[in-house]
């Protein structure tokens, strides 16, 4: 767990967080920022990240990735653009009726984007959304686009799997619903004990905080390991790809109503 | 890193997340929920948690704690009430102009609460807020109340320290500003390599994601270790109290403008 930081990186990190405001140092840091931005020039186009939000969405599922992309935006001088998108313009409450949000765009007027992030919710909410054609059609149309990438967090995996986009691919989800997910989507190969699974066009994440790792991984792919590690330190969060999932004993996992038991 | 879960806890966890919707199981889970709620009865009064938000606040700083308290609310049948409070009713954008939020209350009409959570921001934002009398007076008045607790996350520590509430006490903050914090507030004993410091009436957290640990710790204090661990697993997040902070080399830490260098 020991972290070793070279002066160069820490310096950039401080500046990028807007933490440094000492004029003399600022000049040095500007120079360093330029040099790190230069080193990634040509390798990275601006990445536009659309975050799908909806009633009863789990706050941490999208807050983690946004925090990572937001820090990446600052560190790369704006190479990440982040915006929220919803079905309509109404105020959205996160799970358990807490935070009040207003999306930047609706699915009808959203700008082009490179990534769509689909956060999760409790299974009753997910099961209702799956039956909402407008919602499903939006994700289907999005995932059929040629150059876009789609990222699910936690039970957001169901919303993506429901469009058949993950068929014959590997995927992951929250550990607690994993067996149900396997049963529902037998054409998908479920991967356990990981924080995320990358299938190029589709990245699926495990439970809630694994969205932080997924976003760090994405930023690392575009902007390199240095930027990724700087963000990780800024968040005081240790990036990890693997995790020994907790064991959900038989009979205690998520099980959905079936017609035979629904009497 | 191995997690061992007993059937009892996992079951409660699934129900509490609204993940289970199988009728037969639901009855069992209701029973188990009742038994766990019973076991904490008398020990816990409803805890009202006010989250202070402001322009350019860091999203993860308050999203982490809210996620923990939100899950605790569900698990304890409503024993945690969570709401946001701001200086006024205008739309608030989180750091880097991303999420659009609307607070539930202003500082003038907020209900009584047990806890006030003060999230952080970049140092230029913090330094401006410190000079805002309305903001400082609100935190001063709050922390002078007899039975309230105040919790800072990340650089939110400055907003609290600025009211002198932490004088002659131990406190922590984001590792990168720690030396500056020590210098600014020499009457406070800075604690390094921790995720949070509990001084009963005041709890201070280290950088960004440490707010998750602080909230888990608070819930553990009120509702017990079982509930705390269930939330930790639900978030797929490993609670930790200690952390070997990254090393910010001399000359590369946050340093503020001083009159002598501000030429």
């Amino acid at each position: 767990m020991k972290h070793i930081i070279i002066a160069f990186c820490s310096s950039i990190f401080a500046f990028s967080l807007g933490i440094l405001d000492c004029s003399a140092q600022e000049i040095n840091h500007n120079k360093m920022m330029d040099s790190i931005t230069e080193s990634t020039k040509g390798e990275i186009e601006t990445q536009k990240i659309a975050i799908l939000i909806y009633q009863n969405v789990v706050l941490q599922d999208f807050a983690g990735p946004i925090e990572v992309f937001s820090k990446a935006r600052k560190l790369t001088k704006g190479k990440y653009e982040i915006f929220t998108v919803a079905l309509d313009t109404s105020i959205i409450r996160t799970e358990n009726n807490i935070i009040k949000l207003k999306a930047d765009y609706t699915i009808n007027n959203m700008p082009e984007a490179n990534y769509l992030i689909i956060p999760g919710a409790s299974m009753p909410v997910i099961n209702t959304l799956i039956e909402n054609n407008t919602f499903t059609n939006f994700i289907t149309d999005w995932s059929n686009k040629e150059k876009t990438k789609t990222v699910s967090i936690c039970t957001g995996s169901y919303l993506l799997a429901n469009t058949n986009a993950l068929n014959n691919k590997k995927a992951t989800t929250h550990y607690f619903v994993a067996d149900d997910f396997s049963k529902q989507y037998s054409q998908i190969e479920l991967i356990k004990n990981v924080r995320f699974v990358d299938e190029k066009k589709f990245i699926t994440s495990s439970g809630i905080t694994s969205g932080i790792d997924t976003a760090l991984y994405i930023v690392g792919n575009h902007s390199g390991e240095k930027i990724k590690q700087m963000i990780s330190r800024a968040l005081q969060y240790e990036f990890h790809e693997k995790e020994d999932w907790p064991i959900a004993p038989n009979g205690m996992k998520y099980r959905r109503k079936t017609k035979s038991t629904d009497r």
Side-chain angles (χ1 to χ4, degrees), chain A:
Chain A
M1 292 267 285
K2 286 269 173 207
H3 300 252
I4 299 163
I5 301 183
I6 57 166
F8 176 74
C9 276
S10 291
S11 166
I12 301 291
F13 156 56
F15 179 73
S16 69
L17 290 184
I19 280 178
L20 277 155
D21 56 0
C22 164
S23 325
Q25 287 206 332
E26 200 165 299
I27 295 162
N28 284 332
H29 289 93
N30 271 331
K31 277 187 192 161
M32 290 189 200
M33 275 305 290
D34 286 342
S35 94
I36 212 165
T37 310
E38 284 298 320
S39 74
T40 56
K41 206 180 256 182
E43 292 167 34
I44 174 173
E45 284 174 41
T46 299
Q47 296 298 312
K48 295 184 181 177
I49 320 277
I51 316 279
L52 187 60
I53 55 175
Y54 51 86
Q55 293 298 340
N56 299 309
V57 62
V58 168
L59 175 59
Q60 179 64 55
D61 280 16
F62 64 91
I66 286 180
E67 197 58 55
V68 171
F69 292 125
S70 167
K71 297 287 188 257
R73 174 174 172 79
K74 199 89 187 209
L75 278 164
T76 59
K77 294 188 168 175
K79 289 288 189 182
Y80 293 82
E81 289 177 16
I82 306 114
F83 57 86
T84 51
V85 56
L87 284 182
D88 55 47
T89 56
S90 52
I91 291 276
I92 284 171
R93 284 276 194 174
T94 56
E95 189 181 52
N96 294 330
N97 202 25
I98 302 180
I99 285 279
K100 279 192 282 193
L101 295 170
K102 222 172 142 34
D104 297 308
Y105 300 101
T106 71
I107 57 170
N108 297 315
N109 69 8
M110 70 176 273
E112 289 294 309
N114 303 85
Y115 283 89
L116 178 71
I117 312 288
I118 308 176
S122 70
M123 285 306 294
V125 174
I126 294 290
N127 290 334
T128 305
L129 280 176
I130 280 176
E131 286 166 17
N132 177 331
N133 285 338
T134 314
F135 203 84
T136 303
N137 290 342
F138 167 68
I139 299 176
T140 305
D141 290 349
W142 169 272
S143 58
N144 281 336
K145 286 185 187 179
E146 214 180 314
K147 290 190 176 173
T148 57
K149 296 201 181 204
T150 316
V151 180
S152 70
I153 317 290
C154 196
T155 53
S157 57
Y158 282 82
L159 303 174
L160 184 54
N162 184 49
T163 68
N164 297 322
L166 299 175
N167 286 358
N168 307 312
K169 292 187 168 59
K170 293 171 181 164
T172 196
T173 187
H174 194 291
Y175 82 92
F176 210 90
V177 297
D179 286 354
D180 175 74
F181 185 85
S182 270
K183 210 181 278 178
Q184 289 296 306
Y185 305 108
S186 56
Q187 287 171 279
I188 300 171
E189 184 186 346
L190 176 81
I191 308 294
K192 296 184 174 188
N193 300 313
V194 292
R195 297 290 278 180
F196 55 85
V197 171
D198 181 11
E199 279 279 14
K200 310 283 178 206
K201 199 170 162 51
F202 302 99
I203 304 178
T204 50
S205 317
S206 191
I208 306 186
T209 57
S210 61
I212 301 176
D213 298 291
T214 307
L216 283 168
Y217 169 77
I218 292 169
V219 168
N221 284 347
H222 290 291
S223 304
E225 193 62 20
K226 255 183 206 164
I227 298 270
K228 178 182 146 197
Q229 287 179 11
M230 285 152 63
I231 299 168
S232 176
R233 284 193 296 271
L235 266 59
Q236 291 192 216
Y237 181 83
E238 201 160 349
F239 171 78
H240 51 303
E241 293 189 52
K242 305 259 174 216
E243 175 192 358
D244 287 331
W245 280 3
I247 297 152
N250 272 334
M252 294 298 171
K253 297 167 193 168
Y254 167 65
R255 289 191 191 166
R256 66 184 58 238
K257 280 179 185 162
T258 58
K259 275 179 188 160
S260 59
T261 61
D262 191 14
R263 283 168 289 185

